[in-house]
């Protein structure tokens, strides 16, 4: 997880940056469409690489898959994310509200199923583990907030500052640089510092968010993208420190027999958080932009992310003190 987490985090932020270059390139006059078409190229390359590089393990027929639990979880996530996206772009009509209600009901059904199924997707003993559950909630909130903020910063660069998608991608690149540097620096420190490293990461994230908020508050839409680079870099460093540590610390006292279920749940939550965060934070941004303008919308969005990071600082103390003993 120490190696896998930073890759997931960096890729979530790198996606919009690559998309900015693709849109500006206007390949074959397709404007924004290549940002989706590139998935065919990447997916094919990944498929061929997987055939050659991944271990050729045979299927474990003795390990069943809970089809009902999988269906409930998939349907609930679809309903929740679709409702958030539809509500933020088309208004909070009956459709998005109904989707959110349906998603919440299905998610509750998934939770009940995990206690009743003979072979649940998430072991009930994991959910009874205070440290793991706190890490799950902390990771969900944190990754949703910061991934959503990365998307909003890109929107602010283009909508408020008039930058092209390519220029916005370049201006956002310090975020990825910060993530990568902090991930490499912090990875060997996880075993030594444990949850203290999570606290450092959250505090650094807060510092970056505070700098971003203060700069935009002072200069509004007249701000230069260069003036925001230091805060974006610090924000990325905080993200990298948290990506490298949250999940390793969360499974610090998980039993070896539960490790597979735990790591699968955590990596899935990180992906879901990226999707949900983009929907939630952009909802805040667009609603405030329509009423008070892009500058105010940006400061409110950053303030929301900062508030979530503060709440995460409260959850940190529920995590195990140290990471898994297998962590070097």
């Amino acid at each position: 997880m120490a190696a896998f987490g930073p890759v997931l985090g960096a890729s979530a932020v790198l996606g919009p940056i690559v998309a900015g270059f693709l849109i500006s390139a206007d390949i074959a006059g397709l404007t924004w469409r290549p940002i989706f078409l590139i998935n065919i190229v990447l997916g094919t390359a990944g498929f061929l690489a997987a055939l050659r590089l991944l271990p050729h393990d045979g299927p474990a027929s003795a390990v069943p898959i809970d089809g009902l639990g999988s269906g409930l979880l998939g349907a609930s996530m679809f309903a929740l994310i679709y409702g958030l996206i539809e509500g933020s772009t088309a208004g909070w009509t009956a459709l998005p509200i109904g989707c959110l209600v349906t998603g919440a009901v299905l998610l509750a059904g998934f939770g009940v199923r995990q206690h009743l199924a003979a072979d649940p997707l998430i072991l009930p003993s994991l959910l009874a583990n205070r440290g793991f559950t706190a890490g799950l909630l902390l990771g969900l909130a944190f990754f949703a907030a910061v991934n959503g903020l990365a998307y909003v910063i890109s929107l602010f660069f283009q909508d408020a500052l008039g930058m092209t998608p390519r220029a916005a991608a370049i201006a956002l690149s310090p975020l990825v640089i910060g993530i990568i540097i902090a991930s490499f620096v912090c990875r060997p420190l996880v075993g030594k510092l444990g949850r203290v490293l999570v606290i450092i990461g959250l505090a650094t994230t807060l510092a970056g968010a505070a700098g971003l908020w203060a700069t935009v508050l002072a200069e509004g839409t007249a701000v230069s993208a260069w003036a925001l680079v230091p805060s974006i870099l610090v924000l990325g460093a905080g993200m990298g420190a948290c990506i490298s540590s949250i999940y390793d610390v969360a499974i610090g006292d998980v039993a070896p027999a539960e490790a597979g279920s735990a790591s699968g749940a955590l990596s899935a939550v990180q992906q879901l958080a990226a999707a949900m965060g983009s929907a939630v934070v952009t909802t805040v941004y667009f609603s405030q932009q329509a009423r008070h303008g892009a500058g105010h919308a940006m400061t409110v969005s950053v303030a929301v992310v900062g508030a979530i990071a503060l709440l995460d600082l409260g959850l940190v103390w529920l995590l195990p003190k140290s990471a898994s003993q297998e962590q070097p």
Side-chain angles (χ1 to χ4, degrees):
M1 292 299 295
F4 189 60
V7 171
L8 282 177
S11 65
V13 178
L14 189 61
I17 294 176
V18 174
F21 284 95
L22 287 173
I23 294 171
S24 293
D26 194 15
I27 301 171
L30 294 174
T31 61
W32 52 265
R33 293 170 181 82
I35 68 173
F36 295 102
L37 295 177
I38 194 176
N39 291 325
I40 299 174
V41 178
L42 296 176
T44 301
F47 178 78
L48 295 175
L51 286 177
R52 182 174 179 83
L53 301 175
L54 292 182
H56 292 272
D57 293 339
S61 57
V63 179
I65 297 176
D66 180 18
L68 178 57
S70 300
L72 286 170
L73 180 61
S76 67
M77 291 300 102
F78 176 82
L80 289 171
I81 294 173
Y82 181 82
L84 288 169
I85 294 174
E86 183 70 13
S88 65
T89 55
W92 293 100
T93 61
L95 177 59
I97 293 174
C99 285
L100 292 178
V101 173
T102 301
V105 171
L106 291 172
L107 188 60
F110 169 75
V112 173
R113 174 64 181 174
Q114 297 313 288
H115 287 281
L116 300 179
D119 297 284
L121 295 176
I122 302 178
L123 298 174
S125 58
L126 279 176
L127 297 178
N129 184 316
R130 187 188 71 174
F132 174 80
T133 304
L136 205 65
L137 295 174
L138 192 157
L140 177 64
F142 178 79
F143 292 117
V146 294
N147 280 290
L149 181 58
Y151 187 54
V152 163
I153 293 173
S154 179
L155 289 174
F156 179 74
F157 282 156
Q158 295 174 71
D159 293 343
L161 305 188
M163 300 171 68
T164 65
R166 180 188 288 114
I170 294 172
L172 195 60
S173 61
L175 193 67
V176 178
I177 294 171
I179 291 175
I180 294 173
I181 292 175
S183 296
F184 279 105
V185 171
C186 294
R187 183 177 174 184
L189 299 176
V190 177
K192 298 177 181 179
L193 299 179
R195 70 184 181 193
V196 172
L197 187 57
V198 182
I199 296 171
I200 293 172
L202 289 171
T204 305
T205 302
L206 272 171
L212 199 63
W213 178 84
T215 306
V216 176
L217 182 67
E219 302 186 38
T221 54
V223 67
S224 165
W226 288 106
L228 300 177
V229 166
S231 297
I232 293 174
L233 183 63
V234 173
L235 188 68
M239 291 174 63
C242 289
I243 290 169
S244 301
S245 57
I246 287 176
Y247 288 164
D248 285 298
V249 175
I251 61 174
D253 57 4
V254 167
E258 301 171 330
S261 179
S263 60
L266 290 170
S267 60
V269 162
Q270 186 169 350
Q271 293 298 297
L272 292 170
M276 296 180 71
S278 296
V280 172
V281 182
T282 52
T283 296
V284 174
Y285 179 81
F286 285 133
S287 65
Q288 294 298 314
Q289 183 187 39
R291 298 176 183 176
H292 307 289
H296 179 79
M298 185 63 186
T299 57
V300 172
S301 299
V302 175
V304 168
V305 170
I308 293 173
L310 282 173
L311 291 174
D312 282 341
L313 278 172
L315 285 173
V316 167
W317 305 104
L318 300 178
L319 294 175
K321 291 183 178 179
S322 58
S324 171
Q325 295 302 312
E326 293 183 1
Q327 175 69 31

